[in-house]
Amino acid sequence: MPEKVESEEGPSDPTIDANKRPPPTEEKEGGTKKTPECSVQKDEITPQLNKRLEKGDLWYLLDVRWFKHWKKYVGFEAWDQQQMGSETAHPGPVDTSCLFKDREREVLKDHLMEDLDYSLVPADVWKKFVSWYGLEESSRPIHRRVVEHGLYVKHCKVEVYLVEFKLALHPDVDTFVMKKFSRADTVEQVMNAVKQQFNIPEEKECRLWHKYMLSTYDLLKKLDETVQDAGLYTNQLLLLEQKKDDGSWPRETITYSGTNMSSVRSSDINSDNRTSSSYTSTTSTTTSMRSGNTSSYFDYHNQPSIPGTCGLTNLGNTCFMNSAIQCLSNTYALTEYFLKDAYCKHINAKNPLGMGGSLAKAYGSLLHELWSGTVSYTHTRHLKATIGKFAPQFVGYAQHDSQELLAFLLDGLHEDLNQVLKKPYVDMDIKSDNKSDKEIAKEAWMKYLQRNKSVIVMLFQGQLKSTLVCPSCKKVSKIFDPFMYMSLPLPIKKTRDLFIYLVRVDPTERILKVKVTVPKHGHIGQLLREVSNQTGVDKDKMVAIDVYNCRFHKIFDIRDNISLIMDRDDIFCYEVSISSAQDPNFTVIPVYNREKVIRTVNYTYGSSYSSTYHQLFGVPHLVTVPRADLTYRKLYDILVTHMRRYVKNPSKMQSKIDSKEKATLTPAGYDEVDKQVGNGNADTMDTGDSSDNKTADADNDAELKMDEGEKDDDKEKVDPRPADYFTMCLVNGYGSQVLRNLNDDDTLLTLNNNTYVACDWDSGWKGDCYDLDEAEMKENHPSVFNKSDDDKKKNIQLLDCVKLFANEEQLGEEDPWYCPSCKEHRQAFKKFDLWKLPEILVIHLKRFTYNRYWRDKLDAFVDFPVHGLDLTDYLINREEPDPMYDLYGVVNHYGGMGGGHYTAYAMNSHNGKWYHYDDSHVSETDENHLVTSAAYVLFYKRRVNGQPVLLRRMSSYTHRDSQDEPDKKEKSGSTTEREMMETDNDRGAAAAAAGAVPRVDNNVQSDDVFNANMDSQT
């Protein structure tokens, strides 16, 4: 059953279907309309680019490279004014083809990033662009709606990636159709689309189920709930059930006590035994999948497990959340607080900075399931939906930073459980003159506690001393701030390795792959110098270019920053024959290869149409040509000579004609290989000294001759191909717009380095003579096999990162400090010191680097201790307890930017064993596997009196009897806030002020004392 494509207003993917693409006369959407002047275009477009996102509006995706070409053409930025209106800067037809993974199905590439891969423009801007420039034949419009996320914090964003479901009709769960929806669509809209898909009358009463985990189906009760709020995710199976004529439903509804939804066993839906087979998902055809025997809902939930070793289902890129939750779940003091429901009476529903207790309740509910010991894995749908209501950045199913999620979760739990019901105004400005560090720190901490008191503060928060020194007047400013985690920089080199493709001026040389090491924030001139050092090519005769999709995306200036180069970019260094663009005799021109492509579109109503367009292929060229006396034929000879290594004459079996005719039909100038321009002169370039070249030339000459034994009638055959391999024209820098055709006559050509020439190949000659594999063949320079400094250097120690964190540094020009003494902004010297450390120390390794043009991940190996992390040398407050910590959790990240995968290691407080958490899969491991280069967030627990904290077995988790509370409070020896803060000499008071949890019973926090301590702060 083919999938039916909905209209824009419907819940389906709003992109245009290939089968509904209008014929050429309609497609151009007014493409014949006269294009306004560049200044007019800029004035019309600029205000619309600043348009705010409004729910329901349509925005379009543009290839960021095309958009940058347009900006250059209209002089959008001040530095583009020089090329404003230039023919070569003309962007040509709007091109989106580079954004598709599957152009026919209109599936976007994975992990596209805004401003790096695409730009978003309003619908009016898109219409203007298409009316002015037309739409490239191989492209499709990509438009998406603006959706609103968040319950209390509203946030609008363009939904670039839609969610795709498997739609099935009860009872056949094995036959489904793939269909795309917006996360802003309601369950009712989805149900109506499923009805329409299976031709079910709209008035027919139905209900919709969704399958999650292995064998569970939940009923979607709230029809007005959005796809996002319902927690539905990509590739999830949605099952439509029709009500019987007698008013009953085919399957009995079974209510699971742990959720608010109704669930049904998959064996009740389809109990047939079937064998497994592979399947392929498409949006236009019916897809069938066969699954094996399915276990029942109750069989699954009755599987026993060790408390705390329950996995978490990946709902679609939710591994970042799963890994953070598993480590937090194994933070025993916090988990016990939730499992015994101590948090319930501390919920602050009126805190405007909190979430009304909903986050605490959702997290508490999840912990009960994780530690029940009856479930092998569960899901985070409710918690994720709750987080999304207050933090729209986590809405959807894109990959996110696990540390950012952890920071939000801890901060949210703190505000939900904050015992300060009405936060007073507190002046945090502390006069530090003539005060000791101890006095300043204590005053700052006391003021902080007036507004913030929760279990999160007690367990996770410490205090950091920040010192600023004015370089002019030597004014010293001291600030003591609370911190929840330490973000540590990695002491790595400030260089990066790049692979460069060197194209030599000698046309017989293959492309050479070279590895160079350059400063991360250096300039292109330094890159060219390194290439020169490796290869001996004169750095002044090289041009660095970003080559993308067979075209020159960016020709770098030697002053451009290397940070403009991303790791995925293909950077070519072209050797040229001149060292200056102002050379009076020669110039260097960019040259593209193009071929004509025929595209046929078949319509659903039976008709079709065909159109042709030129498509780039091969590696583009930089060719040196004379400024004077240059004709079409001379230019053609130079280009053919330049491509002689991979452009071969056809064999005589492909063209059997007499030698005279064949010599006439062979492209002119092919044998004039000695007329290459070189060394800045018109001197003959020696290209035939090697035996290999001589042999190749002899072979080519031999192919021009006919065997004497050929039959006479072969002479009558005529080769249908034209005399030349290709014709030439002038094009824009994108290679998509013909500016002027070049005629084969004696007219003198005037070209410069801003002139782009396209070689439009005859399809016959290209197929017979152009060796694409040889053209793109690369050889490796010895540097490619050299180990980088990263591979050779010793391991980084965690304390090296702490030392770097505590080192003094001077603020940059873009981030000065206002000196209250000088009354001016100064580049002050800044230093961090640890003053008060928390019971639970979370360390974040800053592996990800961001700037405007470049994003990178540092995969350096950091060696961190599993036992005995000693921070004594970095804790300046000597009255603090010994800062000795033991590891109990690790969040790992594998892969690069914009994707990758998160897992976790955590020590279970039930049995003291280590486990590996990989979404729903949990397995036992040992300490030898914990320290890897993937470690991203580390969880440490403070020792007591120099000894590791003993683990208490968790035999049962029953809710506390509220009637026992008064007795428990009396036994706990509750203290008042005044008593807790009065003296720093009292160890228990100091520990409480530092965020420590009082301990009893073999160094483990007692629930009685814990709750009494919390009560005393209320």
Side-chain angles (χ1 to χ4, degrees):
M1 181 185 298
E3 177 185 357
K4 186 172 183 179
V5 180
E6 299 289 341
S7 65
E8 285 183 10
E9 291 72 21
S12 64
D13 183 356
T15 51
I16 294 179
D17 180 44
N19 292 330
K20 289 190 174 183
R21 188 176 179 87
T25 55
E26 299 174 10
E27 175 194 335
K28 296 189 178 181
E29 303 181 29
T32 58
K33 180 180 178 181
K34 184 178 179 181
T35 305
E37 296 293 332
C38 292
S39 58
V40 175
Q41 292 185 48
K42 179 181 175 181
D43 292 341
E44 287 189 26
I45 296 299
T46 301
Q48 298 186 58
L49 294 179
N50 298 322
K51 180 181 177 181
R52 293 184 59 183
L53 296 177
E54 298 289 345
K55 182 180 178 181
D57 285 354
L58 275 179
W59 284 62
Y60 284 73
L61 275 70
L62 280 176
D63 181 358
V64 72
R65 295 167 178 81
W66 185 94
F67 196 36
K68 287 180 178 178
H69 271 278
W70 174 82
K71 286 184 173 181
K72 187 180 297 184
Y73 179 62
V74 300
F76 193 83
E77 306 290 355
W79 52 83
D80 291 330
Q81 297 291 330
Q82 188 175 4
Q83 295 191 44
M84 179 177 176
S86 168
E87 282 189 336
T88 55
H90 191 286
V94 179
D95 189 358
T96 62
S97 58
C98 299
L99 302 178
F100 288 106
K101 179 169 64 177
D102 184 338
R103 194 161 56 229
E104 294 305 317
R105 292 184 57 224
E106 301 187 353
V107 177
L108 297 181
K109 292 179 179 177
D110 297 328
H111 308 306
L112 293 177
M113 297 184 182
E114 187 176 1
D115 296 329
L116 292 177
D117 301 296
Y118 66 87
S119 295
L120 290 167
V121 297
D124 290 341
V125 172
W126 169 267
K127 291 175 182 177
K128 288 181 183 292
F129 280 153
V130 173
S131 69
W132 294 339
Y133 299 101
L135 184 64
E136 181 72 25
E137 283 286 348
S138 60
S139 296
R140 303 280 196 281
I142 309 173
H143 50 117
R144 296 289 190 265
R145 291 200 180 277
V146 177
V147 297
E148 188 177 65
H149 295 301
L151 180 61
Y152 299 101
V153 181
K154 297 296 183 182
H155 174 72
C156 287
K157 69 177 183 180
V158 178
E159 188 181 27
V160 175
Y161 288 97
L162 302 174
V163 61
E164 191 170 29
F165 298 133
K166 302 170 183 175
L167 308 182
L169 185 63
H170 178 83
D172 186 5
V173 298
D174 294 331
T175 301
F176 56 81
V177 176
M178 303 297 295
K179 196 173 185 66
K180 293 180 179 179
F181 296 86
S182 166
R183 291 179 179 84
D185 291 333
T186 64
V187 172
E188 185 175 19
Q189 287 177 304
V190 174
M191 185 187 297
N192 290 336
V194 181
K195 286 182 179 180
Q196 187 177 19
Q197 179 68 53
F198 294 106
N199 299 317
I200 297 174
E202 186 176 348
E203 62 277 6
K204 179 70 174 179
E205 188 174 356
C206 299
R207 58 184 184 180
L208 195 63
W209 301 80
H210 70 103
K211 180 179 180 180
Y212 74 96
M213 296 192 295
L214 179 65
S215 57
T216 309
Y217 287 79
D218 277 356
L219 180 62
L220 294 168
K221 291 182 176 181
K222 299 179 181 179
L223 298 184
D224 59 344
E225 195 172 37
T226 65
V227 167
Q228 179 61 54
D229 292 338
L232 304 180
Y233 50 90
T234 291
N235 286 328
Q236 195 168 19
L237 179 67
L238 302 185
L239 186 73
L240 187 71
E241 182 186 17
Q242 303 179 66
K243 198 170 190 178
K244 293 182 178 180
D245 294 337
D246 61 4
S248 64
W249 293 100
R251 305 316 319 173
E252 178 187 358
T253 300
I254 304 172
T255 302
Y256 171 50
S257 60
T259 67
N260 293 325
M261 294 184 178
S262 296
S263 302
V264 65
R265 296 174 301 206
S266 74
S267 57
D268 288 336
I269 292 178
N270 192 345
S271 58
D272 294 340
N273 296 332
R274 294 188 173 95
T275 57
S276 152
S277 67
S278 61
Y279 70 98
T280 303
S281 300
T282 66
T283 55
S284 59
T285 60
T286 302
T287 308
S288 178
M289 180 181 69
R290 299 300 180 203
S291 60
N293 294 336
T294 55
S295 59
S296 73
Y297 180 86
F298 292 107
D299 287 341
Y300 161 73
H301 275 274
N302 284 334
Q303 292 179 11
S305 64
I306 298 172
T309 62
C310 173
L312 292 171
T313 300
N314 192 323
L315 304 178
N317 287 324
T318 55
C319 56
F320 75 95
M321 176 181 291
N322 295 346
S323 58
I325 289 174
Q326 293 290 12
C327 286
L328 204 57
S329 168
N330 283 281
T331 304
Y332 176 69
L334 180 65
T335 295
E336 186 180 41
Y337 169 74
F338 275 93
L339 292 178
K340 294 190 174 181
D341 290 340
Y343 76 97
C344 294
K345 64 176 181 178
H346 296 143
I347 289 177
N348 188 341
K350 297 182 179 180
N351 184 359
L353 299 180
M355 305 173 199
S358 60
L359 181 62
K361 293 176 182 177
Y363 181 69
S365 175
L366 178 61
L367 284 184
H368 275 283
E369 195 161 3
L370 290 176
W371 289 87
S372 66
T374 61
V375 184
S376 61
Y377 63 89
T378 185
H379 61 86
T380 59
R381 286 184 303 150
H382 180 47
L383 178 62
K384 185 180 185 304
T386 302
I387 291 174
K389 292 177 181 178
F390 298 91
Q393 66 269 29
F394 295 114
V395 167
Y397 294 92
Q399 184 69 281
H400 292 281
D401 191 314
S402 182
Q403 186 272 333
E404 291 179 3
L405 182 279
L406 177 67
F408 173 82
L409 184 56
L410 288 175
D411 189 62
L413 290 174
H414 158 64
E415 296 295 354
D416 264 7
L417 302 172
N418 195 343
Q419 296 179 55
V420 181
L421 300 181
K422 186 176 182 181
K423 292 191 176 186
Y425 170 76
V426 178
D427 184 4
M428 297 303 294
D429 185 20
I430 300 173
K431 303 300 181 183
S432 59
D433 297 338
N434 302 320
K435 289 183 179 180
S436 66
D437 285 355
K438 179 180 177 180
E439 292 174 314
I440 301 171
K442 182 176 180 179
E443 183 179 352
W445 187 254
M446 288 288 289
K447 286 186 173 183
Y448 180 72
L449 288 182
Q450 290 180 45
R451 294 173 57 86
N452 303 276
K453 293 177 188 175
S454 71
V455 63
I456 303 299
V457 173
M458 294 176 64
L459 287 175
F460 291 91
Q461 293 195 0
Q463 197 174 22
L464 199 65
K465 177 187 175 183
S466 173
T467 305
L468 289 166
V469 180
C470 177
S472 179
C473 69
K474 307 305 179 184
K475 165 72 176 176
V476 178
S477 173
K478 300 176 183 178
I479 301 175
F480 288 82
D481 289 319
F483 72 91
M484 189 111 65
Y485 51 87
M486 289 175 60
S487 288
L488 302 182
L490 273 59
I492 61 170
K493 63 174 186 174
K494 299 185 181 299
T495 58
R496 58 188 292 207
D497 293 329
L498 291 175
F499 289 102
I500 304 298
Y501 300 100
L502 176 64
V503 181
R504 303 294 296 265
V505 72
D506 183 351
T508 64
E509 295 276 353
R510 285 178 174 172
I511 299 171
L512 186 64
K513 184 178 181 180
V514 184
K515 185 165 94 171
V516 295
T517 301
V518 293
K520 286 185 176 179
H521 301 290
H523 51 78
I524 297 298
Q526 292 173 294
L527 184 149
L528 295 178
R529 186 183 302 118
E530 288 300 317
V531 175
S532 177
N533 293 339
Q534 294 279 10
T535 63
V537 177
D538 188 347
K539 65 180 177 60
D540 295 326
K541 290 186 177 181
M542 281 191 291
V543 181
I545 303 178
D546 179 3
V547 176
Y548 178 78
N549 265 18
C550 307
R551 58 170 61 94
F552 294 141
H553 169 52
K554 179 174 178 59
I555 300 178
F556 292 101
D557 186 274
I558 59 173
R559 295 163 294 185
D560 285 339
N561 200 294
I562 290 176
S563 62
L564 294 173
I565 299 175
M566 299 184 64
D567 288 339
R568 63 184 177 185
D569 292 341
D570 291 328
I571 305 301
F572 283 67
C573 282
Y574 286 82
E575 182 186 10
V576 294
S577 301
I578 58 177
S579 57
S580 173
Q582 282 71 45
D583 188 286
N585 299 317
F586 299 93
T587 188
V588 177
I589 61 171
V591 179
Y592 293 147
N593 288 310
R594 307 196 309 175
E595 63 177 329
K596 187 175 293 186
V597 176
I598 300 176
R599 177 174 177 270
T600 302
V601 175
N602 297 312
Y603 290 106
T604 53
Y605 44 81
S607 63
S608 64
Y609 81 92
S610 297
S611 60
T612 61
Y613 63 97
H614 282 94
Q615 178 175 288
L616 298 177
F617 71 91
V619 178
H621 317 281
L622 275 189
V623 182
T624 305
V625 298
R627 292 183 183 271
D629 300 326
L630 182 65
T631 63
Y632 180 98
R633 187 50 51 183
K634 287 183 179 179
L635 176 60
Y636 179 88
D637 292 345
I638 291 172
L639 295 183
V640 170
T641 300
H642 188 81
M643 295 183 277
R644 63 186 296 264
R645 176 172 56 84
Y646 45 86
V647 175
K648 309 295 183 182
N649 273 330
S651 69
K652 57 188 177 183
M653 293 301 294
Q654 294 171 312
S655 180
K656 296 183 178 180
I657 53 180
D658 64 28
S659 57
K660 183 176 179 180
E661 289 179 90
K662 187 164 186 178
T664 302
L665 292 176
T666 301
Y670 186 89
D671 293 311
E672 299 179 15
V673 296
D674 58 336
K675 294 184 180 180
Q676 173 73 8
V677 177
N679 300 321
N681 300 304
D683 299 337
T684 300
M685 178 178 178
D686 186 5
T687 60
D689 288 345
S690 70
S691 59
D692 290 342
N693 290 337
K694 290 179 180 179
T695 302
D697 291 342
D699 291 342
N700 289 338
D701 291 339
E703 289 174 357
L704 294 176
K705 299 178 181 179
M706 296 292 297
D707 291 339
E708 294 181 358
E710 293 288 347
K711 296 181 179 179
D712 293 339
D713 57 351
D714 287 341
K715 298 181 181 180
E716 302 301 323
K717 296 183 179 179
V718 178
D719 193 325
R721 294 171 295 196
D724 290 342
Y725 286 129
F726 50 79
T727 59
M728 294 182 290
C729 60
L730 303 185
V731 295
N732 64 335
Y734 215 66
S736 57
Q737 182 80 12
V738 176
L739 305 179
R740 179 162 58 93
N741 289 312
L742 298 181
N743 298 320
D744 186 4
D745 53 30
D746 294 330
T747 303
L748 295 181
L749 304 177
T750 302
L751 307 179
N752 56 52
N753 56 1
N754 286 324
T755 304
Y756 287 76
V757 175
C759 301
D760 289 338
W761 279 75
D762 173 76
S763 59
W765 282 120
K766 176 183 178 292
D768 291 341
C769 305
Y770 191 98
D771 189 340
L772 186 60
D773 292 336
E774 177 62 28
E776 298 182 352
M777 186 68 68
K778 299 174 179 66
E779 294 181 345
N780 290 323
H781 186 269
S783 60
V784 172
F785 306 103
N786 294 338
K787 288 188 175 181
S788 65
D789 291 340
D790 284 338
D791 298 327
K792 299 176 184 177
K793 70 182 181 182
K794 64 179 182 180
N795 295 336
I796 299 171
Q797 300 297 318
L798 182 61
L799 289 181
D800 294 337
C801 302
V802 178
K803 181 180 180 180
L804 183 61
F805 170 80
N807 280 350
E808 183 180 71
E809 62 177 0
Q810 189 170 15
L811 299 179
E813 294 181 1
E814 69 284 352
D815 187 28
W817 169 66
Y818 182 79
C819 176
S821 179
C822 298
K823 306 298 183 184
E824 290 185 14
H825 286 90
R826 302 290 190 189
Q827 287 180 251
F829 291 93
K830 186 173 185 178
K831 188 179 189 309
F832 288 123
D833 290 294
L834 300 175
W835 180 262
K836 189 189 302 290
L837 287 172
E839 288 296 297
I840 304 299
L841 179 62
V842 179
I843 295 178
H844 163 227
L845 301 178
K846 297 172 70 173
R847 292 192 178 276
F848 298 105
T849 303
Y850 305 85
N851 62 35
R852 181 180 178 186
Y853 303 102
W854 183 54
R855 304 183 182 188
D856 187 28
K857 184 196 172 186
L858 309 175
D859 287 314
F861 179 84
V862 179
D863 192 3
F864 50 91
V866 177
H867 304 286
L869 171 63
D870 188 358
L871 298 176
T872 302
D873 293 341
Y874 303 96
L875 183 65
I876 63 174
N877 180 10
R878 296 307 176 185
E879 295 183 5
E880 275 285 285
D882 292 337
M884 191 72 72
Y885 287 85
D886 295 308
L887 186 77
Y888 73 90
V890 182
V891 171
N892 303 301
H893 180 268
Y894 301 91
M897 295 292 300
H901 182 59
Y902 286 95
T903 66
Y905 292 116
M907 185 175 66
N908 182 267
S909 55
H910 178 79
N911 56 18
K913 295 181 178 180
W914 283 92
Y915 289 88
H916 179 227
Y917 297 86
D918 186 357
D919 291 330
S920 58
H921 305 285
V922 181
S923 57
E924 187 177 336
T925 186
D926 57 59
E927 294 181 359
N928 297 328
H929 297 131
L930 305 181
V931 185
T932 70
S933 60
Y936 182 47
V937 183
L938 310 176
F939 291 75
Y940 281 93
K941 186 173 182 62
R942 192 176 200 161
R943 289 184 178 181
V944 176
N945 299 325
Q947 298 298 320
V949 177
L950 299 178
L951 297 170
R952 185 173 72 179
R953 295 184 63 84
M954 304 172 69
S955 57
S956 63
Y957 304 107
T958 58
H959 293 188
R960 294 179 295 114
D961 188 346
S962 59
Q963 296 179 354
D964 294 337
E965 288 304 311
D967 293 334
K968 289 184 178 180
K969 291 180 182 179
E970 290 177 8
K971 293 177 183 178
S972 67
S974 174
T975 58
T976 65
E977 177 185 340
R978 179 179 297 276
E979 292 170 346
M980 191 173 73
M981 295 298 184
E982 239 171 20
T983 169
D984 277 324
N985 294 327
D986 176 58
R987 183 67 265 154
V997 180
R999 285 186 172 82
V1000 296
D1001 186 20
N1002 208 13
N1003 296 329
V1004 178
Q1005 169 59 38
S1006 163
D1007 185 57
D1008 300 339
V1009 176
F1010 184 86
N1011 284 293
N1013 186 32
M1014 295 296 292
D1015 291 337
S1016 70
Q1017 299 182 44
T1018 304

